[in-house]
């Protein structure tokens, strides 16, 4: 974050100007003369992609350009599926952690999305089209996630990835047991304080959820039997999502590091009859890759971040490759608004460390996270019928020299580097004029002194606040 | 006569009040509420066409008649309305007038109890601890009629405000109150009128809720619980035998009752993002009647507001540059645009057909409230719409349109009489009627001219009232710039002067007197010629003439300005 602000102050500024103007109906669009990295069907040189109504209608060398179609000439450029970041905390207002309680499954990221967070635009400019926006890792059972498309300019509801299965954040180890936090003097330590305690909290919560599920089933049974004067059970927003997990309707994304805690959670989930959708971070995943694969969980990890805390000491950069080779569906995520802007390079590292093929590396940030999030029928590869979420690079995206040129979501261009550069002067001018205008009107009068409070205050100025409650992920 | 009654009558009885001031023992006859008629004025009714050369008759606190051909009862005090414009009394749709304003309570905190209890208070560790929730607090029950702001709001033309508790997530319920009256019971128009919500959180990890999403989840749970309370208690009341008794929870009960009574729920939403979010939350909860307050970025989302059919209260505290900001740092374009466009919100709402009213949102000087409305007018809001937002639309949003908001026979006699168009800067409010009581608005603005005399010294004052003349002594001391300090002493004691000045040969000074439970002000203003002064003293809206002499003239005059 810090770095981004220092080197790209203009990015925040110009992002403001590139609002939904370009998100108008794109109609029929053709990208021509591109090198197409389909991920599922190899590389097509000098190929075209036909986009109709936001979906990919045709891919290949011999795509006919319909009359009236908008044509993007991508000569010399590379097209890959939009990048999917399986662990993000961008676009969240008012804190990503409800850390006061050990189980915060009543809170929902969806309620507090901030579609004006400039990190959306910055990540978009790095080729990300979909992000799994997660609650922080302050508690064993965290809040509900929101899978979003980075439709810069849309309102909060407009960001949501329609039909994406709902999910929830879990967290194991140091963060939920709070070993990295010194509580204020006089404040009791929140339970749990150990890894045993973390498991106990989760077990306790699911025991409660089962009882809650039973209470409702019993109530419905008695109503169906025609009983009168029945008081329905009280609806509990904390337990409802846990019942959904038990019923297989909600994906669990579990922040985890050590092999032992990963195994513990697998056993606990199997005992209660539910599945972990993804282990997040999972830096010791390579030690228990077989068990993760057998459980059917995915693993979403970093390329080469480690040693930022004790539980991250045993990490190795071969993690993604080793887990892949053991049959785990692996993705590389960012957990950072900055890192998200070069996930293509993070994926490329798995070729150096572990020798994954180009396609396997690309899958780490496209098809695999799509599978993990249950949206692979919509995104993650360039195939007919899928959403036209595409990134155009000037060089091969697995090269460190590649720079994003255009990003499309649902067939609409949401980022265009050339346009972006062209608009900077205009925005500078507007800024200067407004500054002068407001200074003039401010001098004319003595404004009244604010005496009270206001409900919202002015909008944020673009600095995304990442309050994950952790030094590193 | 009990002292409290004395205080109450002060505001109702004209000349007698001055007698009370200088000789507190004098008995005051209780007059019936007076009849008034403003004749020959331009009447902006707010609900119908403007009446030129019309008459408004006020009787027993209500508007008795309005029109061009109206019989004036013989007992009425007739006010010549030539050159005057009569408006419905203005409404400030969200304030904390009459309530302790102080520091906002930390959101996660329980309502304050006695200090010993506070020390032992447990931090909220979940929704079940009902953090920062006191929905049972009704502004009308806590109202302090002596809040000085009532008078300043009244003088600016505001005859009604919604006053709401403002601390916590469920701070309490609002009351519609008129801005004059000796005690709360006389001022309250409707209570409880509204259910208030804020989206505050405690922040950090110490207590629940520590995040915005935690606060929203908590609010959703409370509404679910309230609904459950209503359902469960109804079932239990019908047939308690064999039914497990539902638990009692004050928050659930009060919220349920507020919803069943159809009281609107007020949700905060200032930016476009917050407005979309609040609408979404209201839909999730299933609120049938709600109002958004803040709404300053409404210019971006007027269409969405119209579609949601949600009324809004627009904060008149237009955004300013953060005073603590680094003056060298460039302001973001986003913030610049917001500051530039916020005053165009009312015009945008008007065009989109969104019902809206205004509120002062902590502006400390009520005169700035109208100035800020003028900015919205300058940004394209038609004057009629601005007036409607300050009167009838506000009354409708607050659920009191049958009693307030326009000049119609039968409605409460809340009126503003000005010497011109209310949104012109040079226009002055001359008279305000609240519940049929007349209040004169005095000029207290200090002119720029330097003093031409020195008022320092001891003055003997004679105040002429219908009950006879009263004596008082003023000890004045003047700074070189004309600022006056000192005291005024009468039979009732000594009061310290505030806001005193001499400019040219015109002077003004104010004293504050304790009358039973309340503080009342008397302002002396007039002109000085050597060792003689004359002018008027105004007190609770009534005036009397006074004269003064400086017996020890030579000594005082050479004393020079006070150090």
């Amino acid at each position: 974050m810090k770095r981004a602000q220092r080197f790209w102050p203009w990015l925040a500024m110009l992002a403001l100007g590139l609002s939904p103007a370009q998100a108008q109906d794109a109609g029929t669009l053709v990208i021509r003369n591109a090198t197409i990295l389909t991920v599922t069907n190899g590389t097509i040189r000098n190929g075209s992609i036909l986009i109709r109504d936001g979906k990919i209608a045709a891919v290949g060398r011999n795509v006919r350009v319909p009359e009236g179609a908008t044509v993007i000439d991508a000569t010399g450029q590379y097209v890959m599926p939009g990048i999917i970041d399986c662990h993000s905390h961008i676009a969240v207002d008012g804190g990503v952690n409800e850390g006061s309680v050990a189980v915060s499954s009543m809170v929902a990221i969806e309620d507090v999305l901030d579609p004006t967070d400039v990190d959306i635009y910055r990540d978009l400019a790095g080729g990300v089209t979909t992000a799994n926006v997660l609650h922080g890792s302050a508690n064993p059972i965290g809040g509900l996630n929101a899978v979003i498309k980075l439709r810069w300019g849309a309102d909060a509801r407009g960001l949501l990835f329609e039909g994406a299965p709902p999910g929830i954040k879990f967290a194991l180890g140091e963060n939920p047991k709070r070993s990295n936090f010194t509580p204020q003097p006089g404040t009791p330590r929140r339970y749990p304080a150990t890894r045993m305690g973390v498991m106990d909290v989760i077990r306790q919560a699911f025991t409660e959820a089962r009882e809650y599920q039973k209470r409702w089933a019993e109530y419905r049974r008695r109503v169906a039997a025609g009983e009168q004067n029945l008081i329905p059970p009280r609806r509990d927003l904390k337990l409802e999502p846990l019942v959904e997990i038990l019923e297989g309707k909600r994906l669990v994304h579990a922040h985890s590091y050590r092999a032992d805690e990963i195994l513990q959670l697998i056993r606990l989930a199997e005992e209660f009859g539910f599945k972990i959708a993804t282990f997040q971070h999972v830096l010791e995943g390579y030690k228990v890759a077989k068990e993760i694969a057998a459980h059917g969980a995915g693993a979403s990890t970093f390329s080469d971040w480690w040693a930022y805390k004790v539980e991250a000491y045993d990490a190795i950069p071969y993690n993604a490759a080793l887990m892949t080779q053991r049959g785990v569906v692996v993705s590389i995520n960012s957990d950072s608004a900055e890192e998200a802007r070069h996930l293509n390079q993070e994926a490329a590292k798995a070729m150096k460390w572990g020798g994954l093929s180009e396609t396997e590396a690309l899958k780490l940030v496209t098809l695999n996270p799509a599978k993990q999030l249950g949206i692979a029928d919509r995104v993650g590869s360039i195939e007919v019928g899928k959403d036209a979420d595409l990134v155009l690079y000037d060089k091969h995206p697995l090269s460190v020299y590649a720079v994003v040129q255009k990003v499309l979501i649902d067939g609409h261009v949401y980022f265009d580097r050339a346009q972006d550069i062209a608009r900077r002067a205009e925005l500078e001018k507007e800024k200067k004029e407004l500054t002068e205008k407001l200074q003039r009107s401010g001098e004319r009068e003595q404004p009244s002194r604010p005496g009270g409070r206001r409900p919202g205050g002015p909008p944020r100025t673009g600095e995304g606040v990442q309050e994950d409650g952790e030094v590193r992920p | 006569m009990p002292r409290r009654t004395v205080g109450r009558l002060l505001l109702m009885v004209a000349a007698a009040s001055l007698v009370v001031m200088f000789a507190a023992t004098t008995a005051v006859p209780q007059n019936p509420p007076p009849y008034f008629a403003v004749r020959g004025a331009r009447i902006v009714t707010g609900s119908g066409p403007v009446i030129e050369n019309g008459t408004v008759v006020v009787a027993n606190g209500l508007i008795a008649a309005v029109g061009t051909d109206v019989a004036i009862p013989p007992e009425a005090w007739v006010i010549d309305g030539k050159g005057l414009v009569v408006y419905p009394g203005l409404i400030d749709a969200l304030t904390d007038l009459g309530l302790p304003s102080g520091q906002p309570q930390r959101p996660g905190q329980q309502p304050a109890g006695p200090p010993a209890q506070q020390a032992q208070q447990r931090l909220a560790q979940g929704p079940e601890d009902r953090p920062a929730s006191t929905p049972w607090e009704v502004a009308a029950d806590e109202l302090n009629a002596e809040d000085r702001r009532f008078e300043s709001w009244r003088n600016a033309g505001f005859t009604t405000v919604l006053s709401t508790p403002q601390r916590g997530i469920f701070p309490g319920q609002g009351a519609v109150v008129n801005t004059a009256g000796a005690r709360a019971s006389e001022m309250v128009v409707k209570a409880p009128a509204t259910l208030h919500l804020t989206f505050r959180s405690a922040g950090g990890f110490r207590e629940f809720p520590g995040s915005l999403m935690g606060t929203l989840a908590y609010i959703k749970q409370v509404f679910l619980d309230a609904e459950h309370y209503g359902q469960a208690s109804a079932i239990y009341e019908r047939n308690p035998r064999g039914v497990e008794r539902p638990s009692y929870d004050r928050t659930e009960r009060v919220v349920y009752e507020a919803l069943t009574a159809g009281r609107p729920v007020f949700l905060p939403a200032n930016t476009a993002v917050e407005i979309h979010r609040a609408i979404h939350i209201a839909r999730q909860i299933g609120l049938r009647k709600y109002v958004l307050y803040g709404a300053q970025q409404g210019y971006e989302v007027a269409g969405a507001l119209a579609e949601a059919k949600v009324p809004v209260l627009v904060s008149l505290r237009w955004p300013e540059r953060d005073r603590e900001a680094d003056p060298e740092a460039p302001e973001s374009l986003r913030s610049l645009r917001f500051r530039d466009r916020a005053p165009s919100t009312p015009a945008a709402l008007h065009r989109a057909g969104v019902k809206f009213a205004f509120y002062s949102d902590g502006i400390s000087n009520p005169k700035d409230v109208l100035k800020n409305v003028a900015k919205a007018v300058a940004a394209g809001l038609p004057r009629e719409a601005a007036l409607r937002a300050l009167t009838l639309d506000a009354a409708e949003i607050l659920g009191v349109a049958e009693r307030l908001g326009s000049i119609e026979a039968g409605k409460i006699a809340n009126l503003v009489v000005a010497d011109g168009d209310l949104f012109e800067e040079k226009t002055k409010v001359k008279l305000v009627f609240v519940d049929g009581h007349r209040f004169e608005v005095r000029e207290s603005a200090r002119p720029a001219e330097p003093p031409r005399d020195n008022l320092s010294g001891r003055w003997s004052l004679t105040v002429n009232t219908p009950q006879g003349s009263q004596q008082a002594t003023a000890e004045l001391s003047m700074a070189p710039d004309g600022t006056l300090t000192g005291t005024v002493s009468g039979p009732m004691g000594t009061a310290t002067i505030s806001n005193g000045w001499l400019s040219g040969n015109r002077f003004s000074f104010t004293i504050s007197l304790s009358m039973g439970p309340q503080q009342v002000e008397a302002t002396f203003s007039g002109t000085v010629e050597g060792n003689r002064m004359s002018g008027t003293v105004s007190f609770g809206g009534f005036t009397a003439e006074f004269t003064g002499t400086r017996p020890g003239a030579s000594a005082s005059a050479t004393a020079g300005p006070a150090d």
Side-chain angles (χ1 to χ4, degrees), chain B residues 231-549:
Chain B
Q231 199 181 3
S233 52
I235 292 169
Y236 185 70
E237 289 304 322
R238 263 204 315 272
N239 185 7
R241 288 198 181 204
V243 178
E244 201 182 326
R245 172 167 50 88
S247 63
Y248 174 79
D249 181 296
R250 179 151 65 149
T251 294
E252 290 173 10
R253 176 178 62 78
V254 170
V255 170
Y256 175 73
E257 284 167 3
L259 292 179
T260 351
R263 282 167 219 151
V265 180
F266 279 38
L267 306 171
N270 203 41
T271 65
V273 171
E274 290 166 343
I275 289 168
H276 278 304
R277 179 178 299 147
I279 292 173
H280 176 63
I281 295 295
R283 283 184 179 151
Q284 278 185 312
I285 296 170
L287 291 179
R288 282 191 298 276
K289 246 171 114 178
Y290 66 99
V291 174
L292 303 184
Y293 65 92
Q296 289 186 323
Q297 213 171 30
Y299 59 90
E300 273 193 6
V301 289
L305 285 165
E307 200 186 310
K309 294 189 171 60
V310 52
V312 302
L313 307 183
V314 180
S315 162
L316 284 169
R317 197 144 65 88
W318 300 127
E320 290 166 8
R321 185 158 194 207
D322 182 4
R323 274 153 206 282
E324 259 91 86
D326 176 0
E328 304 290 308
E331 196 174 350
S332 72
L333 182 53
R334 188 175 283 183
S335 166
L336 288 166
R337 282 177 175 167
F338 180 51
R339 290 208 289 130
D340 183 48
R341 293 177 197 171
S344 73
T345 288
L349 297 178
H350 173 68
R351 279 195 302 273
V354 177
K355 178 156 291 188
F356 69 96
F358 289 117
Y359 74 109
S360 52
D361 194 13
I363 291 178
S364 49
N365 181 355
K367 298 219 165 95
D368 289 341
V369 175
L370 278 188
K371 268 190 216 157
N372 284 0
V373 174
K375 283 183 194 165
V377 171
L381 180 68
R383 280 166 195 242
E384 313 79 69
L387 181 69
R388 232 186 127 84
L390 285 163
T391 56
L392 196 55
D393 283 349
E396 280 177 15
I397 291 170
L398 301 180
V400 289
E402 283 304 304
R403 328 169 197 194
L404 287 172
S406 58
I407 305 181
E408 290 178 77
K411 282 196 175 181
I412 293 170
N414 283 1
L415 304 170
V416 180
V417 182
D419 63 359
D421 187 300
L422 211 47
F423 300 115
E424 292 292 338
E425 208 177 322
K426 61 179 200 308
T427 298
K428 304 237 172 341
V429 172
K430 308 299 276 186
L431 290 173
V432 175
F433 287 88
V434 180
D435 276 319
H437 295 292
R438 189 185 95 141
F439 297 90
E440 208 172 304
V441 180
R442 302 292 302 178
E443 279 296 311
S444 67
R446 176 176 179 170
E449 205 188 332
R452 263 198 269 133
D453 212 327
N454 191 337
L455 280 188
S456 296
R458 171 192 284 262
W459 293 80
S460 294
L461 306 180
T462 305
V463 181
N464 298 306
T465 72
Q467 276 73 19
S469 57
Q470 303 289 333
Q471 298 299 319
T473 305
E475 294 274 2
L476 300 179
S477 106
M478 196 183 88
D481 71 343
T483 300
L484 292 176
T485 53
T487 57
V488 176
S489 311
M492 30 52 72
T494 299
T496 305
I497 286 172
S498 64
N499 195 22
W501 48 264
L502 175 68
S503 173
N505 68 342
R506 288 191 294 140
F507 67 85
S508 173
F509 56 87
T510 300
I511 55 170
S512 185
L513 298 162
S514 299
M515 286 291 169
Q518 58 178 346
Q519 287 286 316
V520 284
E521 281 188 349
T523 298
F524 294 77
S525 51
T527 53
V528 59
E529 292 296 337
N531 294 322
R532 302 200 154 271
M533 61 166 65
S534 62
T536 56
V537 51
S538 78
F539 182 80
F542 305 104
T543 56
E545 289 181 351
F546 80 95
T547 55
T549 54

Side-chain angles (χ1 to χ4, degrees), chain B residues 92-307:
Chain B
D92 186 346
L94 181 57
T95 71
D96 63 351
L97 258 59
L99 301 174
S101 39
Q103 286 301 306
Q105 193 176 19
R106 291 215 359 271
Q109 253 173 353
Q110 293 291 328
Q117 232 173 299
Q118 271 179 353
Q120 288 163 17
Q121 248 159 25
R122 212 165 68 82
L123 298 174
Q125 295 307 317
E128 62 282 0
D129 291 337
R130 297 281 180 245
S133 298
T134 51
W136 54 84
E137 274 186 13
V138 179
D141 302 340
E142 314 291 329
L143 204 70
N144 172 17
E146 285 132 50
D147 188 330
R148 301 280 291 274
R149 292 178 296 171
F150 282 122
E151 188 188 345
S152 55
W153 252 251
R154 189 175 70 224
N155 286 343
F158 288 93
T159 56
T160 305
V161 302
L162 177 76
S163 194
T164 61
Q166 315 225 330
R167 297 192 281 186
I169 297 168
F170 281 86
Q173 301 187 62
V176 179
V177 298
N178 281 342
T179 53
R183 57 174 68 92
S185 56
E186 296 170 2
M187 301 166 75
V188 172
V189 176
K190 184 177 185 179
T194 57
L195 180 66
H196 204 66
L197 276 183
T198 77
F199 291 165
R200 286 181 209 132
S201 66
F205 289 178
R206 261 161 62 88
E207 54 189 314
F208 180 86
S211 63
L212 175 60
M213 58 187 166
T215 303
L216 297 179
Y218 171 63
I219 288 170
K220 288 194 264 184
Q221 185 68 61
V222 167
F223 280 100
L224 282 177
D225 290 351
E227 191 189 320
H228 184 258
Y229 168 88
Q231 199 181 3
S233 52
I235 292 169
Y236 185 70
E237 289 304 322
R238 263 204 315 272
N239 185 7
R241 288 198 181 204
V243 178
E244 201 182 326
R245 172 167 50 88
S247 63
Y248 174 79
D249 181 296
R250 179 151 65 149
T251 294
E252 290 173 10
R253 176 178 62 78
V254 170
V255 170
Y256 175 73
E257 284 167 3
L259 292 179
T260 351
R263 282 167 219 151
V265 180
F266 279 38
L267 306 171
N270 203 41
T271 65
V273 171
E274 290 166 343
I275 289 168
H276 278 304
R277 179 178 299 147
I279 292 173
H280 176 63
I281 295 295
R283 283 184 179 151
Q284 278 185 312
I285 296 170
L287 291 179
R288 282 191 298 276
K289 246 171 114 178
Y290 66 99
V291 174
L292 303 184
Y293 65 92
Q296 289 186 323
Q297 213 171 30
Y299 59 90
E300 273 193 6
V301 289
L305 285 165
E307 200 186 310

Side-chain angles (χ1 to χ4, degrees), chain A residues 256-276:
Chain A
S256 52
Y257 283 85
R258 273 175 23 186
D260 56 347
E261 70 192 13
I262 293 165
L263 294 180
Q264 276 178 319
L265 186 61
I266 287 176
R267 288 184 197 123
L268 191 143
E270 287 174 357
E271 177 192 327
F272 279 89
F274 67 88
K275 270 219 159 63
I276 305 298

Side-chain angles (χ1 to χ4, degrees), chain A residues 222-242:
Chain A
R222 289 173 69 182
V223 169
E227 271 193 63
Q228 302 289 316
N229 284 323
L230 286 179
I231 295 178
R234 170 184 167 279
R235 278 189 60 192
D236 190 320
L237 293 180
K238 182 179 89 173
L239 296 176
E240 280 181 4
L242 304 187

